[in-house]
Amino acid sequence: MKSSIKKVPKAAKKTVALKQSKTPAANMANEPIINYSYQRPDVKNVAYPMAHNHLQVSIAQGATLLSNSNNRPESQLTAFDKMNFIRIGVSKKELEGFKNKATLDYDQLASALSVTRATLINKKGNDKFNPSLSERIISLADIYSYGYKVFEDEARFNAWMFSPNQALGGLLPFKLMDNQFGREEIKNMIGRIEYGVYA
């Protein structure tokens, strides 16, 4: 007597195709961003994003903008690393280095850090800023370090920070840097750019 159980064929090997599409990058000289995403052939209209940038799939590690004992980019520091850095304090010399790399002036820095211009200028050399101000400086450097990693071009990211952004209703990203929630929004925007979402 023949068995009524049908033999189930071996499942076909699933393949994953690399789908490539081009989308314009806002405020980036209209150069195309190559958006790499994994497209499962057995699932329609579902793409799984993969980290990329405007030139190649591999991404730089980011820039170290302030001296720290870990010698790692601020965007890669752990919460404990940042807390220790805050307790040590950011020096005027370190702030100067960040200021020059980010092409900011003291008025712009004072606005983003919610302090007077004199507060920043009056410190000298290795003089340390207080923990509260050091925390804001590190937070600012964290965002710039992350931006340099994603954009892989310091000048391009510096320009993006001062370009009107449609996602912000035409505001400049830098104008949101003077408070915690604004900094969080800018960091989230950079993250969306990293994964190919228009921002």
Side-chain angles (χ1 to χ4, degrees):
M1 183 176 181
K2 290 186 178 181
S3 172
S4 59
I5 300 175
K6 293 182 179 180
K7 185 177 180 182
V8 179
K10 291 183 179 179
K13 184 178 180 182
K14 293 181 180 179
T15 59
V16 178
L18 185 63
K19 183 179 179 181
Q20 176 177 315
S21 61
K22 291 186 177 181
T23 53
N27 306 313
M28 291 172 63
N30 294 322
E31 292 184 11
I33 283 181
I34 299 177
N35 182 20
Y36 293 93
S37 59
Y38 286 121
Q39 181 70 52
R40 281 180 49 180
D42 58 328
V43 180
K44 294 182 179 180
N45 302 321
V46 177
Y48 301 88
M50 167 181 165
H52 75 285
N53 59 69
H54 64 284
L55 292 176
Q56 57 189 8
V57 178
S58 61
I59 294 178
Q61 294 302 306
T64 301
L65 303 175
L66 305 169
S67 300
N68 62 77
S69 59
N70 296 279
N71 197 30
R72 297 203 311 272
E74 285 73 20
S75 60
Q76 294 184 9
L77 296 179
T78 67
F80 284 102
D81 291 334
K82 291 173 184 175
M83 285 189 287
N84 289 332
F85 198 177
I86 289 167
R87 292 189 181 104
I88 294 170
V90 175
S91 71
K92 171 64 178 297
K93 183 178 179 181
E94 290 167 332
L95 180 67
E96 281 280 353
F98 168 57
K99 169 181 167 290
N100 294 335
K101 187 174 285 289
T103 64
L104 299 171
D105 59 35
Y106 277 113
D107 289 326
Q108 291 165 335
L109 271 177
S111 174
L113 297 171
S114 300
V115 295
T116 64
R117 188 172 185 271
T119 300
L120 303 179
I121 291 177
N122 289 342
K123 292 286 186 183
K124 305 296 180 184
N126 291 321
D127 290 348
K128 305 282 188 181
F129 293 102
N130 63 43
S132 177
L133 182 50
S134 290
E135 180 177 357
R136 295 197 294 275
I137 294 171
I138 293 168
S139 178
L140 199 64
D142 180 21
I143 290 173
Y144 268 79
S145 176
Y146 185 32
Y148 292 160
K149 169 193 170 187
V150 172
F151 280 64
E152 284 200 327
D153 187 317
E154 293 172 6
R156 187 183 294 273
F157 178 72
N158 291 343
W160 179 85
M161 287 291 283
F162 285 91
S163 300
N165 195 293
Q166 292 181 355
L168 299 175
L171 295 176
L172 311 184
F174 190 82
K175 292 296 184 182
L176 276 66
M177 300 287 280
D178 63 349
N179 64 88
Q180 175 188 347
F181 302 107
R183 290 191 290 271
E184 287 176 358
E185 178 59 27
I186 297 307
K187 195 165 187 179
N188 288 337
M189 286 185 65
I190 297 170
R192 292 196 292 272
I193 291 173
E194 182 177 12
Y195 285 93
V197 179
Y198 182 83

